[in-house]
Amino acid sequence: MVENVDDKTAYKNENSAMNAITIDCVIFGFDKGSLEVLLVQHAEGISKGKWGLPGGWIYKKESTDNAAHRLLNELTGLDNIYLEQLKAFGDPDRFPLRRVITIGYYALVKREDYNIKAGFTASDAQWYKINEIPDLIYDHNEILDYSLKHLRNRVRQAPIGFNLLPEKFTLLQLMQLYEEILGIEMDKPNFRRKILHMKLLVALDEKQQDVSHRAAQLYKFDPEIYNQLTEKGFNFVF
Ligand SMILES: O=P(O)(O)OC[C@H]1O[C@@H](O)[C@H](O)[C@@H]1O
């Protein structure tokens, strides 16, 4: 029990906390081989007309996790997303009017599985390619950069991102997924050797269909090894 804090002070502190903590969500989407981020255009307030990450204020009787899901849903229509908390961004000058700390959340989704619809305080919601991000409000470009670095570390340690591919895929599709998320170019024979060495893939007795070039072999993930690697983690060095 904290001493010397009367009810009035506690009430004041609770109110000030509600005005000093916000949520921001970085939603990465993968679509046709390209990595994108979901942004919203503000319809009101000091950032009217500008683009930023979907986020905002937390209700008094709401957990931060619930606030993240609610805000994302109200602003963009996205629902049932697995959001992971990233970290708090607390630069004293990050918000122009007063001290506001924001809690970052992030997710990586298959774009085609979701429909976007702007609502609440957003006039528009759009996916932006990762290398075509405009100037965002407040510190949102920094939050996005931090999230991207985090995502890049994560894909080297766990088989996240694999669920962005179709059930049956070619080695080239898998390599392109890694290249796009990591923002690097890979050597195909090297990638092939290393990925096959992990025994994570099952070669199918099937080839690509309806392609103009030479049809490539199709693979799928071995679910048992996939789960083992998800639990234990790995170190993907290409
Ligand atoms: O929606 P407004 O009031 O412009 O933004 C206020 C706060 O909500 C968050 O998204 C921002 O990062 C900021 O911390």
Side-chain angles (χ1 to χ4, degrees), residues 37-55:
V37 173
L38 184 57
L39 300 177
V40 291
Q41 188 175 38
H42 285 230
E44 53 188 62
I46 56 168
S47 47
K48 187 172 173 185
K50 296 186 185 150
W51 288 85
L53 299 168

Side-chain angles (χ1 to χ4, degrees), residues 61-183:
K61 299 264 176 222
E62 187 179 45
S63 70
T64 48
D65 287 359
N66 285 350
H69 284 104
R70 175 186 55 81
L71 284 160
L72 187 61
N73 180 248
E74 287 177 344
L75 292 163
T76 70
L78 281 198
D79 210 357
N80 288 323
I81 300 262
Y82 175 72
L83 283 172
E84 210 172 300
Q85 198 181 107
L86 195 61
K87 78 171 198 114
F89 295 84
D91 188 303
D93 302 320
R94 63 166 297 280
F95 186 66
L97 301 183
R98 59 178 181 277
R99 184 83 201 263
V100 176
I101 294 167
T102 197
I103 303 172
Y105 282 79
Y106 88 108
L108 175 60
V109 301
K110 202 176 192 172
R111 231 195 78 167
E112 65 181 29
D113 290 348
Y114 298 93
N115 289 322
I116 300 303
K117 191 174 182 301
F120 192 37
T121 55
S123 51
D124 199 359
Q126 295 286 341
W127 292 100
Y128 277 78
K129 286 200 184 351
I130 201 72
N131 49 9
E132 292 172 12
I133 304 293
D135 260 351
L136 304 178
I137 54 168
Y138 319 138
D139 58 347
H140 288 197
N141 287 94
E142 282 164 46
I143 297 176
L144 173 54
D145 287 350
Y146 182 93
S147 312
L148 185 58
K149 281 196 190 117
H150 180 83
L151 175 70
R152 287 177 172 164
N153 284 335
R154 293 282 295 135
V155 296
R156 287 180 187 275
Q157 294 157 358
I160 54 165
F162 288 5
N163 56 342
L164 303 174
L165 290 173
E167 196 198 338
K168 300 170 186 178
F169 50 85
T170 66
L171 285 184
L172 186 63
Q173 280 174 311
L174 181 60
M175 186 179 91
Q176 282 168 345
L177 171 85
Y178 271 92
E179 285 188 325
E180 179 66 14
I181 294 180
L182 295 171

